[in-house]
Amino acid sequence: MPGFELFGPEEKQEVADVMENGFTFRYNFDHMRNDRWKTRDMEALLCEKMNAKHAHLVSSGTAALQTAMAAAGIGAGDEVIVPPFTFVASVEAVFMAGAVPVFAEIDETLCLSPEGIEAAITPKTKAINLVHMCGSMAKMDEIKAICEKHNLVILEDACQAIGGSYKGQALGTIGHVGCYSFDSVKTITCGEGGAVITNDETIYNHAHMYSDHGHDHIGNDRGAEDHPIMGLNFRISEMNAAMGLAQLRKLDKIIDIQRKNKTAIKNAMADIDEVSFREIPDPEGDSAGFLTFMMPTEERTVEINKKLAENGVDGCFYWYVNNWHYLSNWKHIQELKSPADLPITLIKDRPDYTKVSVPKSDAIMSRTISMLIKLSWTEEQIAERIANIKKAFGQ
Ligand SMILES: *Cc1c(COP(=O)(O)O)cnc(C)c1O
């Protein structure tokens, strides 16, 4: 998954170009920047690559989620269906919007399941935050049909799945609005950064205004711009966008390498009887950032996770016990820990987050291990890795 493995002269060149010829602010200052517009260039390239009408860069994936929610009209008191397996940001952003996260079950795609979503819908449900976890996608056709039936906004958190697609459509562009993260360890990185992507003009206009104090970005005199809405500052800097521009140009290459490396390891593991693989609704669209597999029992999963480490197979994640990626380990979220009262504390009939029960998700995640797929592996290293994996399984 990490694009930083391919850092080279291309990234340096783009960053140096900002320092030597450009300016660090993404808007205006036309007289100082010698026509350097790295943020705009990266946004245009994102639209082209993802076949989307609009992309707007922001300071992080988390900022993208918060911006996307506000831009799509998700706010005070709205219920948003979220998965229990994700990075905490997907849930935090809902709380910070003043909305109410409602946890629903995932299936063996490791994403929200159609049945899970359907069971969690109430008259207050406004949206789903559909997280495409670990490089691959949810069951989009079924989920879209449910959301259309109930008139729900589909927000795709594609922070871990850039470069993936479903039936030819880029992940992030299938719902109403999508988000990408370009933090330091993601598939491509800006250092820190994120993007909101959409085909909806209203959502796009809200997004660029919301993430810049409501500036309408009309004309070239920043101080004279109007402010149709309130917002915050979630701007990206030209330095970060410059790095990201060079990385985005490498995205296709990154995905190719990931797919090649993942296939080699997956093929080698296919004849281990006790292993089954995560369900991928459109295998051709897998971004292949991770190889994820399931064991028959929780006990055996714990054991194999330990054996993999002992045999030098690094980059394995047993998410079920991971601090940052599974609901049962998020005491702070369950107890609404915050330095100040959150808007949700004003909602009397809010869920009791200490009592959320997701038995189907528990049954899956307690048996699931993901392996990070690296870009820098040589053929010898892959062969050695496969041998070590086989050793861990006693073969
Ligand atoms: C990384 C990540 C985010 C947050 O992105 P940042 O750029 O780190 O703020 C959100 N959702 C998921 C699923 C992520 O993996």
Side-chain angles (χ1 to χ4, degrees):
M1 177 158 98
F4 69 78
E5 291 181 273
L6 297 192
F7 275 171
E10 303 81 6
E11 285 80 2
K12 279 188 201 157
Q13 168 86 49
E14 286 296 339
V15 175
D17 190 37
V18 174
M19 301 217 74
E20 286 159 20
N21 305 303
F23 192 62
T24 55
F25 201 65
R26 70 154 295 177
Y27 295 112
N28 310 97
F29 294 92
D30 297 35
H31 61 292
M32 286 169 68
R33 63 193 314 138
N34 297 311
D35 218 22
R36 263 57 175 194
W37 300 94
K38 303 300 178 187
T39 310
R40 282 192 200 169
D41 292 349
M42 186 173 172
E43 287 167 348
L45 188 58
L46 259 182
C47 287
E48 187 189 315
K49 284 202 163 300
M50 304 306 162
N51 194 21
K53 285 202 187 118
H54 307 284
H56 181 70
L57 290 186
V58 289
S59 53
S60 70
T62 308
L65 287 166
Q66 208 174 334
T67 300
M69 261 182 262
I74 302 162
D78 292 330
E79 289 184 4
V80 180
I81 295 173
V82 296
F85 173 49
T86 182
F87 177 62
V88 284
S90 331
V91 179
E92 287 170 330
V94 179
F95 282 118
M96 299 310 165
V100 180
V102 174
F103 288 93
E105 298 275 17
I106 60 167
D107 57 22
E108 296 208 350
T109 64
L110 303 190
C111 305
L112 282 169
S113 69
E115 313 78 56
I117 292 168
E118 197 133 43
I121 294 173
T122 77
K124 288 190 197 152
T125 310
K126 174 88 180 196
I128 65 168
N129 186 1
L130 189 59
V131 188
H132 299 297
M133 273 307 270
C134 304
S136 176
M137 75 296 297
K139 293 176 179 159
M140 290 310 298
D141 285 343
E142 294 90 327
I143 290 172
K144 260 183 96 168
I146 293 167
C147 291
E148 271 162 28
K149 188 169 135 206
H150 295 273
N151 202 18
L152 306 182
V153 174
I154 302 178
L155 189 165
E156 290 177 81
D157 178 341
C159 288
Q160 294 194 8
I162 193 169
S165 61
Y166 179 75
K167 297 188 179 171
Q169 269 185 290
L171 300 181
T173 68
I174 303 164
H176 299 89
V177 59
C179 295
Y180 299 127
S181 163
F182 307 120
D183 80 23
S184 309
V185 295
K186 293 301 206 277
T187 309
I188 56 171
T189 181
C190 290
E192 295 281 5
V196 175
I197 192 154
T198 184
N199 288 312
D200 184 309
E201 185 144 0
T202 305
I203 292 179
Y204 168 66
N205 282 324
H206 284 157
H208 75 72
M209 292 193 271
Y210 179 82
S211 59
D212 186 24
H213 306 292
H215 273 269
D216 65 7
H217 303 128
I218 294 171
N220 59 5
D221 179 356
R222 192 164 164 81
E225 284 177 14
D226 205 356
H227 31 64
I229 58 169
M230 281 195 271
L232 289 162
N233 170 13
F234 291 143
R235 290 186 308 262
I236 193 165
S237 88
E238 284 280 282
M239 309 285 288
N240 295 86
M243 182 194 285
L245 181 59
Q247 285 262 291
L248 182 57
R249 292 187 184 123
K250 297 179 180 176
L251 179 63
D252 297 343
K253 179 176 163 192
I254 289 173
I255 300 297
D256 282 350
I257 300 173
Q258 285 182 171
R259 286 180 177 158
K260 183 171 93 18
N261 291 354
K262 174 171 173 174
T263 302
I265 295 172
K266 189 171 178 179
N267 286 348
M269 288 180 72
D271 58 2
I272 305 175
D273 283 343
E274 56 183 336
V275 164
S276 61
F277 294 104
R278 172 238 190 117
E279 184 181 351
I280 301 181
D282 178 7
E284 279 183 31
D286 181 14
S287 82
F290 289 92
L291 171 60
T292 301
F293 61 94
M294 284 93 176
M295 300 298 294
T297 63
E298 177 174 349
E299 199 184 5
R300 184 70 177 133
T301 313
V302 171
E303 189 175 45
I304 281 296
N305 188 46
K306 197 163 149 255
K307 291 236 162 90
L308 286 166
E310 283 167 7
N311 284 281
V313 184
D314 61 357
C316 293
F317 298 90
Y318 182 31
W319 305 111
Y320 191 54
V321 297
N322 178 294
N323 249 345
W324 292 95
H325 293 83
Y326 199 62
L327 169 65
S328 56
N329 307 309
W330 301 337
K331 276 270 169 312
H332 62 315
I333 286 181
Q334 292 173 26
E335 295 171 4
L336 300 178
K337 288 268 164 77
S338 169
D341 281 351
L342 295 168
I344 195 168
T345 57
L346 298 174
I347 297 171
K348 295 282 176 295
D349 62 348
R350 67 180 178 267
D352 179 348
Y353 292 104
T354 63
K355 296 208 173 76
V356 177
S357 159
V358 281
K360 288 190 184 132
S361 306
D362 290 342
I364 293 165
M365 294 313 298
S366 60
R367 298 184 296 106
T368 296
I369 294 175
S370 294
M371 288 180 180
L372 187 68
I373 301 297
K374 293 217 180 122
L375 304 170
S376 54
W377 286 334
T378 61
E379 302 224 339
E380 294 74 48
Q381 283 170 323
I382 291 176
E384 192 189 334
R385 193 171 174 85
I386 289 170
N388 289 340
I389 292 170
K390 298 241 158 162
K391 259 192 251 157
F393 279 90
Q395 294 197 344

